[in-house]
Amino acid sequence: MHRLKHTPLHTSQSSQSLQPLAGKKNSTPAMYWFKNLTRFTSPIKHHTKFTPTLFTLQHIHHFTTTTTTTGGGDTVAPSTSGLGPTTKTEKPRVVVLGSGWAGCRLMKGIDTTLYDIVCVSPRNHMVFTPLLASTCVGTLEFRSVAEPIGRIQPAISHEPGSFFFLANCKGVDAKKREVHCQAITDGLQTVAPWDFKISYDKLVIASGAEASTFGINGVKEHAIFLREVHHAQEIRRKLLLNLMLSDVPGVSDEEKRRLLHCVVVGGGPTGVEFSGELSDFIMKDVRQRYSHVKDYIHVTLIEANDILSSFDDRLRIYATNQLIKSGVRLVRGTVKDVQPKYIVLSDGTEVPYGLLVWSTGVGPSSFVRDIDLPKAPGGRIGIDEWLRVPSAPDIFAIGDCSGYLESTGKATLPALAQVAEREGKYLAELLNKIGKAGGGYANSGGDMELGPAFVYKHLGSMATVGSYKALVDLRQSKEAKGLSIVGFTSWFIWRSAYLTRVVSWRNRFYVAVNWLTTLVFGRDISRI
Amino acid sequence: MHRLKHTPLHTSQSSQSLQPLAGKKNSTPAMYWFKNLTRFTSPIKHHTKFTPTLFTLQHIHHFTTTTTTTGGGDTVAPSTSGLGPTTKTEKPRVVVLGSGWAGCRLMKGIDTTLYDIVCVSPRNHMVFTPLLASTCVGTLEFRSVAEPIGRIQPAISHEPGSFFFLANCKGVDAKKREVHCQAITDGLQTVAPWDFKISYDKLVIASGAEASTFGINGVKEHAIFLREVHHAQEIRRKLLLNLMLSDVPGVSDEEKRRLLHCVVVGGGPTGVEFSGELSDFIMKDVRQRYSHVKDYIHVTLIEANDILSSFDDRLRIYATNQLIKSGVRLVRGTVKDVQPKYIVLSDGTEVPYGLLVWSTGVGPSSFVRDIDLPKAPGGRIGIDEWLRVPSAPDIFAIGDCSGYLESTGKATLPALAQVAEREGKYLAELLNKIGKAGGGYANSGGDMELGPAFVYKHLGSMATVGSYKALVDLRQSKEAKGLSIVGFTSWFIWRSAYLTRVVSWRNRFYVAVNWLTTLVFGRDISRI
């Protein structure tokens, strides 16, 4: 323990560096403060008895007062701040809203010698969603499924005209060709959220969709979705807390069962994979690490229709049997109300729960609902076959937020990572083509020949059901014939396929290491 | 997207399993609910067209109502709940308060054939504190420095009489030989915190110390300590947020400099290591990944006296020069006030900051201050040379919460992991010896020969200063002669020593992988 005490300046160097402020050009007081300090930092050589060289901030006192007494708001320029229209001496600017599969695949593919890229998103990383369920129980670490945008498109980090802004997009002005954003301060009290505008040459809306709650009371308050890393973290913390709470003396058996009842609503791939991971965790880790309460923990999967309805019938039988075998209870039902400790099904049944995970699919986000652009059936932003918003030149939309306009005669594509990724790739190539032909700037390139329209070819679906088992459905559509395989081979394909699709080598390496560690040492149960 | 809908029960199996409640013995309604469901889970074999087998919860409706309408409080037994005194048919019970270096080393060493172990702590893992600073900037992952208690002492997980309780200890009744605890619910709304008591045969207080604030206004509100994993997480999130915020259009240069000014108060090993890690991060990762704002980020280390005052003079010169070389500003000063955006030094200087890390050492916690046991100089729990609390039979105290009574004539040992770990090891052996001699139960073993008293032998100190440089001081005390080395060799020793001391093979492996990944790919910058 050392109590901080004031000690006067005592080196010769520091007094030499005390220079008058007058005559300094291009230096704000705060800049001077820093420059002044920087001058102190030459290495010190002592050949006699050592006296550590530390300095006081005394001489910079009066420079810093102005900085520190200003509020959060007035350090920000008026609402005109932002990035204005590009000039012909700059590269044209592609503004990308969102950092999911569609936006990130697009950014990765954009030729940065042709364009500057500005990405606006409330998170600075892409989530490798197919592996998110595995992180909830510690099979994978959170960081292994998050890829920083700066790694996906390094130009964002160092190109003078390319940026990533941690912000929400509040609106699009298609006439002025600008987007209105609000910086995210994440509760930081010293900074007030502020608005800014970005002019675009090309705008790509890839803001994704929102988890559907169907207007059911209590879902947003009490259930946890499984779409972001912080959701997985919340699930993990709650699961481990409930495991520990149920072991504390004085808890009734009934309450233990409630605390350790994990209910998953929605039998799509996410719900099924999470249920499978959870039952793996229970069978392999809880039994060993929480043996006092192992008989109280159960998983129930509630689905109104068929589980994995997009998969081959044979695969669905297999998945159902696998889940049942590993102790997951499959219940057919519809939730009509969610209370803090129980859900109510439409037949009035009350089901107590300790952890409720909601994965019933997605619908249009409020941003998409409010945006003043023509909509496709289902409320998505309407696009043509080249992924353009026909009524608004220079605006494109990809991923879950977009859907074909009725006039195209094409059906809405499913809200899958695969679709989003393919659209991002296609649009990157299209924009590169436009840019090369000199049509990159706003109001140009509209009349050029775009080449073949986007065509989605389904490459197959995969899902794991726990216990080193997975499903791989390689049919092109639900009606088509094709290969569908189950079991360990399939699980191995699932892992390999994901491993090669995880974006960076760093994360591929981490995922492989995580899987190996889980296999050898079991899952991690520390609650941090 | 699939909207959940109610579908009536449609398999023959489920109707067979509808059995009357009457006549069921030993089944609470909730238990019946679960048993009833379990019966559904036999694998289903379909040889014809597949109809996924899902069930309604209709028939269990009336059983669950009682569970779900009770409040959090009434599922908990009255305040008599807890673990009563052990009988001679049980093993004697060692209750350990805390899960730091002292408590965990003790639990690891206890012979579980002689004792049951009950650990009470607000966290379910031990933090490998010397490596915590590395996690703030992504050199190491958080999980790599956290070791679950269930891995340190597996008996906690599966022995019927051994437990880990996520709880705070509220008091010790030395006469009744019981500790009073309160379960931690961590904001979980469905559970009210509840109290319980645990009787002990032997009690080991290893509850640690608290970060010192010296009563300075604003420290607890605005500064972040560096003692727990969640502190490191908070530092990391704030650092990355500030990096992104300062890049948003409309932020003045002055505000950028404030947001990116990282101030560390306290020049002990933690403060120095954190400053070193931070400057490594800035030089290697920020320059590359946040090149727009790289000139605005700075680290200042404020210390009232000498940095690393416990180290050899030669090492201190080296550390000072290394830190200065890597851009850390060393400032001699005392903080007298902490405001949200700036700190005030005792000479009136205001220093703006975006991130403030406080590491000025530790002092007695409120639990230790309030406990009704004789104190050692400095307010720690007073112990004799065998680490016993002499006035309270069967109570021992180890680690930062304890100190030699004046009557022993020995000086208080420093608040170091090394001391705590050695005390834990010694006491485990002592308790095993007592247990083997049949003195494990309460009120017994007090008169037996304990053998040699605890003697602390300092093995040396280590600290890293960034840039693959570290200090190793192998002298026994500040006055003694001995080996002290600096530089890369020293850094290599530092890493190797830590690697072999990280408790489990799993974490050794993870730390090695983290270091390797950071070396190859750089630090991770995703803010999750």
Side-chain angles (χ1 to χ4, degrees):
Chain A
M1 274 180 291
H2 37 258
R3 173 74 207 244
L4 294 178
K5 276 184 305 191
H6 174 65
T7 311
L9 211 60
H10 65 285
T11 67
S12 56
Q13 284 157 308
S14 51
S15 55
Q16 284 161 11
S17 65
L18 272 170
Q19 301 199 357
L21 234 195
K24 288 276 158 197
K25 280 171 190 163
N26 304 323
S27 293
T28 66
M31 281 174 73
Y32 185 74
W33 189 93
F34 280 93
K35 280 190 185 161
N36 212 1
L37 261 178
T38 314
R39 205 169 297 121
F40 287 30
T41 57
S42 57
I44 310 146
K45 288 176 190 76
H46 287 266
H47 302 286
T48 57
K49 190 179 180 312
F50 175 64
T51 315
T53 311
L54 299 162
F55 310 95
T56 68
L57 290 169
Q58 205 166 22
H59 57 288
I60 49 148
H61 175 193
H62 54 288
F63 307 148
T64 54
T65 316
T66 50
T67 312
T68 53
T69 51
T70 54
D74 55 359
T75 53
V76 173
S79 61
T80 53
S81 72
L83 302 178
T86 52
T87 63
K88 295 290 164 188
T89 59
E90 296 172 285
K91 286 183 271 187
R93 181 187 299 143
V94 178
V95 173
V96 182
L97 306 182
S99 58
W101 281 92
C104 285
R105 186 62 189 83
L106 172 92
M107 287 190 275
K108 191 181 178 186
I110 292 265
D111 183 344
T112 53
T113 62
L114 296 172
Y115 291 102
D116 278 330
I117 303 174
V118 173
C119 177
V120 176
S121 173
R123 60 167 199 231
N124 84 335
H125 55 273
M126 180 192 145
V127 181
F128 197 79
T129 41
L131 294 181
L132 197 55
S134 302
T135 65
C136 301
V137 295
T139 309
L140 289 179
E141 296 311 324
F142 301 117
R143 211 156 290 283
S144 306
V145 303
E147 189 70 41
I149 295 164
R151 279 183 196 277
I152 294 171
Q153 179 46 271
I156 289 270
S157 307
H158 55 71
E159 284 286 315
S162 290
F163 293 95
F164 169 76
F165 296 136
L166 192 76
N168 281 314
C169 181
K170 293 292 183 187
V172 174
D173 188 333
K175 276 192 194 141
K176 292 189 182 166
R177 283 189 167 69
E178 58 186 24
V179 290
H180 300 181
C181 307
Q182 185 170 55
I184 287 177
T185 55
D186 206 24
L188 197 67
Q189 288 167 351
T190 55
V191 183
W194 66 84
D195 298 323
F196 59 96
K197 293 175 184 175
I198 307 167
S199 296
Y200 59 80
D201 289 298
K202 307 289 173 198
L203 173 66
V204 181
I205 305 174
S207 57
E210 253 175 32
S212 303
T213 64
F214 308 109
I216 298 166
N217 169 52
V219 176
K220 282 195 177 145
E221 293 79 9
H222 308 300
I224 310 176
F225 301 109
L226 190 45
R227 293 170 51 77
E228 301 283 350
V229 173
H230 68 85
H231 292 144
Q233 287 172 323
E234 195 184 343
I235 290 171
R236 187 186 167 102
R237 285 185 63 83
K238 197 156 183 182
L239 182 62
L240 291 174
L241 181 66
N242 286 351
L243 275 165
M244 288 187 282
L245 278 178
S246 59
D247 203 11
V248 168
V251 182
S252 67
D253 274 9
E254 203 172 304
E255 178 71 353
K256 278 186 197 182
R257 285 203 164 75
R258 180 188 74 79
L259 281 169
L260 297 179
H261 190 207
C262 307
V263 175
V264 182
V265 180
T270 305
V272 167
E273 292 198 349
F274 177 68
S275 304
E277 282 283 349
L278 204 53
S279 69
D280 265 13
F281 175 64
I282 293 168
M283 290 199 298
K284 286 176 202 140
D285 299 85
V286 172
R287 287 194 186 165
Q288 197 189 343
R289 304 272 165 210
Y290 294 94
S291 59
H292 300 120
V293 294
K294 66 177 192 297
D295 298 330
Y296 295 90
I297 189 164
H298 290 102
V299 183
T300 300
L301 175 60
I302 299 179
E303 164 62 60
N305 302 304
D306 297 342
I307 64 163
L308 297 176
S309 54
S310 67
F311 280 76
D312 186 15
D313 283 351
R314 201 172 65 85
L315 298 188
R316 271 158 48 212
I317 302 179
Y318 182 83
T320 306
N321 287 341
Q322 273 302 323
L323 287 175
I324 290 174
K325 217 186 268 178
S326 52
V328 176
R329 295 172 187 134
L330 301 177
V331 169
R332 191 179 283 258
T334 313
V335 177
K336 72 169 185 192
D337 187 28
V338 177
Q339 293 292 324
K341 292 177 160 197
Y342 62 96
I343 53 175
V344 184
L345 301 188
S346 56
D347 60 0
T349 312
E350 294 180 357
V351 184
Y353 69 85
L355 175 72
L356 179 63
V357 174
W358 197 267
S359 62
T360 59
V362 295
S365 66
S366 58
F367 170 72
V368 168
R369 282 197 302 268
D370 295 346
I371 202 168
D372 187 22
L373 292 173
K375 301 289 159 63
R380 297 176 175 204
I381 296 170
I383 51 172
D384 67 10
E385 290 102 322
W386 289 269
L387 314 181
R388 299 177 298 187
V389 177
S391 59
D394 297 325
I395 300 186
F396 302 79
I398 52 178
D400 294 357
C401 70
S402 70
Y404 285 124
L405 285 164
E406 264 184 300
S407 56
T408 62
K410 290 191 164 188
T412 302
L413 293 170
L416 292 176
Q418 204 177 145
V419 174
E421 195 255 350
R422 221 70 57 74
E423 289 183 343
K425 185 165 184 276
Y426 170 86
L427 186 57
E429 284 160 11
L430 186 65
L431 286 176
N432 290 345
K433 188 176 174 183
I434 293 172
K436 265 184 204 123
Y441 292 98
N443 281 318
S444 66
D447 47 355
M448 65 178 277
E449 178 54 54
L450 296 181
F454 174 74
V455 178
Y456 176 65
K457 193 166 165 254
H458 189 68
L459 288 183
S461 309
M462 296 190 290
T464 174
V465 288
S467 318
Y468 304 105
K469 302 285 197 306
L471 321 172
V472 174
D473 189 343
L474 297 178
R475 299 169 309 149
Q476 301 261 333
S477 73
K478 210 168 149 55
E479 290 70 39
K481 297 244 174 264
L483 189 63
S484 63
I485 43 177
V486 294
F488 180 80
T489 318
S490 172
W491 174 84
F492 190 79
I493 293 177
W494 177 80
R495 288 234 156 157
S496 316
Y498 278 158
L499 209 48
T500 52
R501 283 169 72 191
V502 168
V503 182
S504 71
W505 277 103
R506 178 198 169 95
N507 276 9
R508 279 181 215 187
F509 176 66
Y510 256 122
V511 168
V513 164
N514 285 169
W515 277 336
L516 180 69
T517 333
T518 299
L519 198 66
V520 176
F521 301 102
R523 291 170 181 81
D524 178 58
I525 53 160
S526 55
R527 182 172 179 272
I528 55 173
Chain B
M1 272 181 292
H2 36 258
R3 173 75 206 245
L4 293 177
K5 276 184 303 191
H6 174 65
T7 311
L9 210 60
H10 66 284
T11 66
S12 55
Q13 283 157 308
S14 52
S15 56
Q16 282 161 12
S17 65
L18 273 170
Q19 303 200 353
L21 235 194
K24 288 276 159 200
K25 279 172 190 164
N26 303 322
S27 292
T28 66
M31 282 173 73
Y32 185 72
W33 190 92
F34 280 92
K35 280 190 185 160
N36 213 0
L37 259 178
T38 314
R39 205 168 297 118
F40 288 29
T41 57
S42 56
I44 309 147
K45 286 177 191 76
H46 287 266
H47 301 286
T48 56
K49 191 178 179 315
F50 175 63
T51 313
T53 312
L54 299 162
F55 310 95
T56 67
L57 290 169
Q58 205 168 22
H59 56 288
I60 49 148
H61 175 196
H62 55 289
F63 307 150
T64 55
T65 315
T66 51
T67 311
T68 53
T69 51
T70 54
D74 55 357
T75 53
V76 174
S79 60
T80 52
S81 73
L83 302 178
T86 53
T87 62
K88 294 291 165 188
T89 58
E90 296 172 284
K91 287 184 270 188
R93 181 187 300 144
V94 179
V95 174
V96 182
L97 306 182
S99 59
W101 281 92
C104 285
R105 186 61 187 82
L106 172 93
M107 287 190 276
K108 190 181 178 187
I110 293 265
D111 183 343
T112 53
T113 61
L114 296 172
Y115 291 101
D116 278 329
I117 304 173
V118 173
C119 178
V120 177
S121 173
R123 60 166 198 232
N124 84 336
H125 56 273
M126 181 192 144
V127 181
F128 197 78
T129 42
L131 294 181
L132 196 55
S134 301
T135 64
C136 301
V137 295
T139 310
L140 289 179
E141 296 311 324
F142 301 117
R143 212 157 290 283
S144 307
V145 303
E147 188 69 42
I149 295 165
R151 279 184 195 277
I152 294 172
Q153 179 46 270
I156 290 270
S157 307
H158 55 72
E159 283 287 314
S162 290
F163 294 95
F164 169 78
F165 296 136
L166 192 77
N168 282 314
C169 180
K170 292 292 182 187
V172 174
D173 189 332
K175 276 190 194 143
K176 291 189 183 166
R177 283 187 165 70
E178 59 186 25
V179 291
H180 300 183
C181 306
Q182 186 170 56
I184 287 177
T185 55
D186 206 25
L188 197 67
Q189 289 167 350
T190 53
V191 183
W194 67 85
D195 298 323
F196 59 96
K197 293 175 184 176
I198 308 167
S199 298
Y200 59 81
D201 290 299
K202 308 289 174 198
L203 173 66
V204 182
I205 305 174
S207 56
E210 252 175 33
S212 302
T213 63
F214 308 110
I216 298 165
N217 168 53
V219 176
K220 281 194 178 146
E221 293 78 10
H222 308 301
I224 310 176
F225 301 109
L226 190 46
R227 294 170 50 76
E228 302 283 350
V229 173
H230 67 86
H231 293 144
Q233 288 172 322
E234 195 183 343
I235 290 171
R236 186 186 168 102
R237 284 184 65 82
K238 197 159 184 180
L239 182 63
L240 291 174
L241 181 65
N242 286 350
L243 275 165
M244 288 186 283
L245 278 178
S246 58
D247 203 12
V248 168
V251 182
S252 68
D253 274 8
E254 204 172 302
E255 178 71 353
K256 279 186 195 181
R257 285 204 164 74
R258 180 189 75 77
L259 281 170
L260 297 180
H261 190 205
C262 307
V263 175
V264 183
V265 180
T270 304
V272 167
E273 293 199 348
F274 177 69
S275 305
E277 283 284 349
L278 205 53
S279 68
D280 266 14
F281 175 63
I282 292 167
M283 290 198 299
K284 286 176 203 139
D285 300 85
V286 172
R287 287 196 185 164
Q288 196 189 343
R289 304 275 166 206
Y290 294 94
S291 59
H292 299 120
V293 294
K294 67 179 191 296
D295 298 329
Y296 296 90
I297 188 164
H298 290 104
V299 183
T300 301
L301 175 60
I302 299 179
E303 163 63 59
N305 302 304
D306 298 341
I307 64 161
L308 298 175
S309 54
S310 66
F311 279 76
D312 185 15
D313 284 351
R314 201 172 65 86
L315 299 188
R316 270 157 48 210
I317 302 178
Y318 181 83
T320 306
N321 286 342
Q322 274 301 324
L323 287 175
I324 290 173
K325 216 185 267 176
S326 52
V328 177
R329 295 171 184 135
L330 301 177
V331 169
R332 190 179 284 256
T334 312
V335 178
K336 72 170 183 188
D337 188 27
V338 177
Q339 293 293 324
K341 291 179 161 194
Y342 61 96
I343 52 174
V344 184
L345 301 188
S346 56
D347 61 0
T349 313
E350 292 180 358
V351 183
Y353 70 84
L355 174 72
L356 179 63
V357 174
W358 197 266
S359 62
T360 60
V362 294
S365 65
S366 58
F367 170 71
V368 168
R369 282 196 301 270
D370 295 347
I371 203 168
D372 187 22
L373 292 173
K375 299 288 158 63
R380 298 176 175 203
I381 297 170
I383 51 171
D384 66 11
E385 291 101 322
W386 291 269
L387 314 181
R388 298 176 299 186
V389 178
S391 60
D394 298 325
I395 301 186
F396 303 79
I398 52 177
D400 294 357
C401 70
S402 70
Y404 285 124
L405 284 163
E406 264 184 298
S407 57
T408 62
K410 290 191 164 187
T412 303
L413 294 171
L416 293 175
Q418 204 176 146
V419 175
E421 195 255 350
R422 223 69 59 73
E423 290 184 341
K425 184 165 184 277
Y426 170 86
L427 187 56
E429 284 160 10
L430 186 64
L431 286 176
N432 290 344
K433 190 175 171 183
I434 294 172
K436 266 185 203 123
Y441 292 98
N443 280 317
S444 67
D447 49 354
M448 64 176 280
E449 178 54 55
L450 296 181
F454 175 73
V455 177
Y456 175 65
K457 197 167 163 251
H458 189 66
L459 288 183
S461 310
M462 295 190 291
T464 175
V465 288
S467 317
Y468 304 104
K469 302 286 194 307
L471 320 172
V472 175
D473 189 344
L474 297 177
R475 298 167 312 147
Q476 300 262 330
S477 71
K478 208 169 149 56
E479 291 68 39
K481 298 242 175 268
L483 189 63
S484 61
I485 42 176
V486 295
F488 180 78
T489 319
S490 173
W491 175 85
F492 191 78
I493 293 177
W494 176 81
R495 289 233 156 156
S496 317
Y498 278 156
L499 210 48
T500 52
R501 283 170 71 192
V502 168
V503 182
S504 70
W505 277 104
R506 178 198 169 96
N507 275 9
R508 279 180 215 187
F509 176 67
Y510 257 121
V511 167
V513 164
N514 286 169
W515 277 336
L516 180 69
T517 332
T518 299
L519 197 68
V520 177
F521 301 103
R523 290 171 183 80
D524 178 58
I525 52 160
S526 56
R527 183 171 178 271
I528 54 175

